[in-house]
Amino acid sequence: TGAAKSRVQAPARASAAIAMISVNVKWGKQKFDNIEVDTSEPPMLFKTQLFALTGVPVERQKIMGLKGGPLKDDADWASVGLKPVRPA
C-alpha cells in the first residue's frame, strides 16, 4: 500500500512574524481546520501532530501541496512556501 497523503493550505493569520501558523489539512475525505504549526520547530513535530489526528505513522506520511514537492523531515519551513492565504 502507498503512503498516506495530506494537502496543506494556510489560512490568514494576524502577523507573518509569528512562529505559529494555522493550516488546513485534507486527508482522504476528511478535513482538519486550523491545525497549529510551529515554524520554529522541525517538520517532524507537524507530522507527529498529523499522526495524532489521523493515526497514520510519521514514516508513512507524504505531505503534499508545498513548494518543492513533498515535505521532508529536515526541511526549513521558510523554503517550503508555507504562508498565510488571504480570506475570500
Side-chain angles (χ1 to χ4, degrees):
T1 60
K5 294 181 182 176
S6 300
R7 291 207 173 268
V8 178
Q9 177 185 21
R13 294 290 287 176
S15 171
I18 298 174
M20 297 295 285
I21 190 167
S22 182
V23 298
N24 296 327
V25 175
K26 291 181 184 178
W27 175 60
K29 293 183 179 181
Q30 295 181 329
K31 184 176 178 187
F32 301 96
D33 292 326
N34 299 315
I35 306 302
E36 292 289 321
V37 177
D38 185 347
T39 58
S40 67
E41 296 289 338
M44 183 58 77
L45 181 63
F46 176 59
K47 288 184 173 188
T48 302
Q49 288 176 279
L50 294 180
F51 170 70
L53 290 170
T54 65
V56 176
V58 170
E59 63 275 3
R60 304 224 355 110
Q61 294 177 18
K62 189 173 185 180
I63 312 300
M64 307 295 290
L66 299 170
K67 180 179 167 184
L71 180 65
K72 295 182 175 115
D73 293 341
D74 61 349
D76 175 18
W77 285 113
S79 69
V80 299
L82 184 65
K83 54 187 170 187
V85 178
R86 300 219 180 257

